[in-house]
Amino acid sequence: MRPWVAVLALWEVLRAAAGRSPALPTIVDQAFIEACVHVHNELRACIGFMWQVQPAASGMRYMTWDAALARTARAWANKCIFEHNVYLSQKHQCHPNFTSIGENIWVGSHQAFHVADAIKSWYNEVRFYIFAVQKCSKVCGHYIQVVWDNSYKIGCAVTLCREVAGIRNAVNFVCNYSPGGNGLRRPYIEGKSCSNCAKGDTCENKLCRNPERDKIIYYSRWHPPWEFRILCDEACISLVVLRASLMFLAFVAVYFIKKHFTNMHMST
């Protein structure tokens, strides 16, 4: 078999294998980022609507994406266990700056996964939460984190696992928040929307925004110290692809020379 035929055959095998694994968005996928941020802000802004039992929030902050939180979410999601991150309470293990970090986890089949539906499933715990007396009749922790007024940074990740929580070929979707929410108080202060925003904030769609808080920082050199994986940024990937391409071209060149210049020899 000719070398180029073998290469093409190998490429088809690899492509077919990849096709059998459902594609999930990465933490740098803009559509994924926008969906995670938009749905959270939409749900945070709709608190207090007439059809809801819960009152309006007076100082609900607008959320923006955080690359370090997303890397932490990815690192934990890749462990494929349906438990909260054991490093959340350890300083600088989940973020280079924030020390208070919250987390929500959703696990289900690949067919059932949609960013909006997963986030709304957390929010739907609102039906178990009684704001007036700060009581929960069932599970409310995910809802409380989604509407925690002081949280303003979010990072999410999704991965495919062989099995999680008894579900085979499961999607593991993790979101991390900072500052994190807790159950020591109500998730927000009741009142007219934006009536309790901090000094320097502006009100946008019933949420408090601030240009300093909303800045997007990429933390390009930071990764969770407990993340055991080979890390490769865009420059690294480019180098790997370039080296592979050069090796392939060298192989083709050697084959071409041997094929067409077998009788050629050097003399002095």
Side-chain angles (χ1 to χ4, degrees):
M1 179 183 291
R2 294 183 178 181
W4 64 268
V5 175
V7 170
L8 287 176
L10 178 60
W11 169 253
E12 289 299 327
V13 170
L14 292 174
R15 191 170 67 170
R20 287 194 293 270
S21 299
L24 291 170
T26 68
I27 61 173
V28 294
D29 184 304
Q30 278 304 123
F32 174 71
I33 292 172
E34 289 172 9
C36 292
V37 171
H38 173 74
V39 175
H40 274 89
N41 283 327
E42 185 180 59
L43 293 173
R44 289 162 71 84
C46 78
I47 291 171
F49 276 15
M50 292 180 63
W51 50 268
Q52 287 200 330
V53 176
Q54 309 298 8
S58 62
M60 185 69 68
R61 288 174 167 179
Y62 180 87
M63 279 187 169
T64 52
W65 189 256
D66 187 274
L69 289 176
R71 291 187 200 122
T72 293
R74 178 182 63 186
W76 191 251
N78 283 336
K79 291 185 178 294
C80 294
I81 53 177
F82 193 43
E83 296 175 7
H84 281 296
N85 191 333
V86 297
Y87 302 99
L88 290 178
S89 60
Q90 299 181 25
K91 192 174 182 179
H92 302 316
Q93 292 295 298
C94 294
H95 198 279
N97 295 332
F98 292 120
T99 55
S100 172
I101 298 172
E103 182 179 68
N104 279 341
I105 303 174
W106 180 96
V107 171
S109 68
H110 180 264
Q111 293 78 10
F113 174 70
H114 297 282
V115 170
D117 291 344
I119 297 170
K120 287 175 182 176
S121 73
W122 298 330
Y123 183 86
N124 286 340
E125 291 175 3
V126 62
R127 63 188 185 276
F128 305 125
Y129 188 72
I130 307 171
F131 187 91
V133 293
Q134 196 182 344
K135 293 291 183 181
C136 179
S137 62
K138 196 173 181 181
V139 178
C140 304
H142 305 93
Y143 161 75
I144 288 173
Q145 178 56 83
V146 170
V147 299
W148 192 257
D149 56 359
N150 282 344
S151 298
Y152 63 92
K153 286 296 182 183
I154 183 174
C156 304
V158 59
T159 190
L160 187 67
C161 301
R162 183 172 297 176
E163 184 174 339
V164 183
I167 303 172
R168 294 186 61 81
N169 298 319
V171 166
N172 199 17
F173 177 57
V174 178
C175 284
N176 285 131
Y177 309 79
S178 204
N182 58 67
L184 301 180
R185 65 168 175 86
R186 293 182 179 91
Y188 57 85
I189 298 173
E190 179 183 356
K192 183 180 178 182
S193 299
C194 292
S195 62
N196 197 33
C197 290
K199 185 178 179 180
D201 286 6
T202 58
C203 184
E204 183 178 316
N205 191 28
K206 301 185 178 182
L207 301 176
C208 304
R209 297 203 64 171
N210 184 289
E212 285 300 312
R213 275 201 314 267
D214 295 350
K215 280 182 179 177
I216 306 297
I217 303 174
Y218 294 98
Y219 305 98
S220 58
R221 297 187 178 277
W222 186 87
H223 290 272
W226 42 269
E227 182 182 27
F228 301 106
R229 63 193 298 269
I230 299 174
L231 299 172
C232 196
D233 58 18
E234 291 182 0
C236 164
I237 293 171
S238 299
L239 182 59
V240 170
V241 172
L242 178 61
R243 291 182 64 179
S245 300
L246 290 175
M247 289 179 65
F248 175 73
L249 290 174
F251 173 79
V252 172
V254 169
Y255 172 78
F256 180 79
I257 291 171
K258 286 186 175 181
K259 181 73 174 178
H260 296 278
F261 300 97
T262 52
N263 296 323
M264 185 178 180
H265 66 277
M266 300 292 290
S267 62
T268 59

